[in-house]
Amino acid sequence: MTEVLKIDLGLGDEPKNHRVVVAMSGGVDSSVTAALLAESGYEVIGITLQLYDDGVAKNKPNSCCAGQDIHDARRIASHIGIPHYVLNYQDLFKEAVIDDFADSYLRGETPLPCVRCNERVKFQDLLTASKDLGAEALVTGHYIRRYEGPSGPELHAAIDPIRDQSYFLFATKQSQLSDLRFPLGEFPKTVIREQAERLGLSVAKKPDSQDICFVPGGNYREVIEKLRPGACDPGVIINSNGEQIGKHQGTINFTIGQRKGLGVSASEPLYVTRIDSEKNIVFVGNKNELLANRILVEDVNWLAKDDLAENKTITVRIRSTHEGSTAKINWLNSNVFEVFLDHSELATSAGQGCVVYDNSRLLGGGWITNMGRC
């Protein structure tokens, strides 16, 4: 028999005395979060954000925040007996996330829309909505841990490294942490699936979200072309000797480090080493040309006000699938730092996050604007 999990959000006395809001996306993680909290005695209110057009979402089984997912969230809320509200944030989502996504590609970057969504929509506006409903905390199904540290709330990577979502939450504001809770970070995904079965949730076997939610079938080029006509204007491909070796159909089809799909032939494997979106040029070179040990990071959000990580070895992750590299950081001002890697890494594109950890603790992070050698 599957063990019953009791959730303690650390709000004080008996759970029955505390109202909380759960952000319900219609997936298994947020559904289990809401169900476990209700079972533990909390007064739970479910909120789902509609972020983009239903017509697109109905054909996307692995998306979130529209179409079938809203229906699933409603059904789960009814099943566990909690009130549920759907808030339409389509206009804000388009401006703060979708338009930013398109413009980032046009600048030759590779964006992280999930980070922007968490930063600009889900946490910011859901926190406001939860407070309007008289809730003491906003609870989500993200896999990350929140602890009370000596200097206030801290964020830590999840117990399950495969499911850890701390990289995507580096932009969470320190001022928001007192009102946020992430109970699933203490458990592996297998346990959450088991709880969904025990609780009789209809989404127990629902697949996890895979694609960017507003990009049907993963075809981001189609989305960008629609939003920004001319984004796929043809240009040239130039090698490290300055020779034109091919043509392309839009810089948005390339990202730093890309090897496949370049449309050129050469005696050795070639990789995208630089993108000049203004001149519409894609530069390619060998793998060694991608090696970098210095990273410039801007628009920094630093969570650990008690630890600026100066003169110490820390770990940085420079892409969501990156396991992490040891490094040191040097602050240039309160919003910008440079990272010096202990060992060179293959460069990643501008627009990705550089996230800093001290063991499991998430210290902060920012946006990569440049990688090179020193």
Side-chain angles (χ1 to χ4, degrees):
M1 180 178 295
T2 302
E3 178 185 0
V4 176
L5 295 184
K6 290 294 183 181
I7 303 298
D8 182 1
L9 297 178
L11 296 176
D13 54 357
E14 292 294 318
K16 65 181 180 181
N17 297 325
H18 301 283
R19 175 182 295 175
V20 298
V21 161
V22 176
M24 299 183 68
S25 67
V28 63
D29 297 324
S30 60
S31 297
V32 168
T33 299
L36 288 176
L37 289 172
E39 187 178 57
S40 297
Y42 290 94
E43 180 188 350
V44 180
I45 298 173
I47 291 183
T48 300
L49 300 182
Q50 180 170 331
L51 299 180
Y52 56 97
D53 179 67
D54 279 340
V56 172
K58 285 176 181 174
N59 297 317
K60 292 197 69 205
N62 296 335
S63 61
C64 66
C65 302
Q68 181 62 42
D69 301 291
I70 292 177
H71 173 73
D72 288 341
R74 282 198 184 105
R75 185 167 52 177
I76 294 299
S78 176
H79 174 74
I80 62 180
I82 65 170
H84 176 255
Y85 303 98
V86 178
L87 305 182
N88 189 328
Y89 279 33
Q90 291 188 69
D91 290 343
L92 174 62
F93 185 72
K94 181 181 182 303
E95 178 183 348
V97 180
I98 299 179
D99 286 346
D100 177 81
F101 174 83
D103 291 339
S104 183
Y105 265 110
L106 292 183
R107 293 191 298 269
E109 302 170 351
T110 303
L112 279 172
C114 292
V115 174
R116 290 303 192 193
C117 182
N118 289 329
E119 173 192 13
R120 297 175 175 178
V121 182
K122 288 184 177 178
F123 286 169
Q124 181 171 301
D125 290 275
L126 268 177
L127 275 170
T128 299
S130 65
K131 290 177 180 178
D132 289 344
L133 289 168
E136 296 174 65
L138 170 64
V139 190
T140 81
H142 288 101
Y143 285 82
I144 190 171
R145 293 175 290 166
R146 175 197 178 279
Y147 295 146
E148 287 293 337
S151 300
E154 301 175 356
L155 289 183
H156 289 253
I159 290 291
D160 185 344
I162 297 176
R163 294 298 304 171
D164 174 52
Q165 293 173 296
S166 60
Y167 178 86
F168 295 100
L169 295 171
F170 77 83
T172 307
K173 301 296 184 287
Q174 207 279 337
S175 60
Q176 297 172 332
L177 293 185
S178 60
D179 299 314
L180 290 169
R181 298 294 188 276
F182 309 100
L184 298 196
E186 302 288 344
F187 307 104
K189 179 75 174 198
T190 52
V191 169
I192 302 308
R193 291 281 185 191
E194 290 169 357
Q195 290 297 310
E197 294 278 6
R198 179 185 69 80
L199 292 160
L201 304 184
S202 58
V203 296
K205 291 184 170 63
K206 186 174 181 178
D208 293 328
S209 299
Q210 300 294 329
D211 298 328
I212 297 171
C213 65
F214 57 88
V215 181
N219 189 352
Y220 65 87
R221 171 179 174 151
E222 181 180 328
V223 172
I224 298 171
E225 278 190 295
K226 184 177 180 180
L227 292 169
R228 302 290 185 267
C232 291
D233 287 347
V236 298
I237 299 175
I238 293 178
N239 66 15
S240 52
N241 294 324
E243 303 165 334
Q244 179 180 327
I245 60 171
K247 296 182 179 180
H248 65 76
Q249 297 299 313
T251 58
I252 67 168
N253 294 300
F254 300 88
T255 188
I256 301 300
Q258 179 178 332
R259 175 183 172 188
K260 296 181 179 180
L262 302 185
V264 297
S265 59
S267 60
E268 63 177 348
L270 295 177
Y271 300 79
V272 176
T273 57
R274 186 163 66 91
I275 298 171
D276 188 330
S277 56
E278 291 186 1
K279 295 181 179 179
N280 214 9
I281 300 173
V282 174
F283 294 89
V284 297
N286 62 44
K287 194 172 185 178
N288 286 337
E289 293 178 60
L290 276 174
L291 291 175
N293 60 4
R294 177 186 176 274
I295 310 170
L296 184 64
V297 183
E298 301 186 34
D299 193 18
V300 171
N301 178 60
W302 200 254
L303 290 163
K305 301 304 181 184
D306 61 318
D307 185 358
L308 293 178
E310 295 175 306
N311 303 314
K312 66 187 292 187
T313 298
I314 43 80
T315 300
V316 297
R317 292 173 61 189
I318 58 175
R319 56 181 71 86
S320 62
T321 56
H322 189 220
E323 292 184 357
S325 295
T326 55
K328 290 183 173 61
I329 66 174
N330 175 50
W331 289 89
L332 300 180
N333 60 51
S334 61
N335 199 40
V336 179
F337 61 70
E338 53 188 354
V339 174
F340 296 98
L341 299 169
D342 288 348
H343 304 284
S344 295
E345 290 272 358
L346 293 179
T348 192
S349 176
Q352 294 289 287
C354 179
V355 185
V356 182
Y357 298 83
D358 183 7
N359 295 314
S360 70
R361 186 183 179 188
L362 170 58
L363 299 179
W367 300 94
I368 295 173
T369 57
N370 184 266
M371 289 188 70
R373 300 183 187 181
C374 61

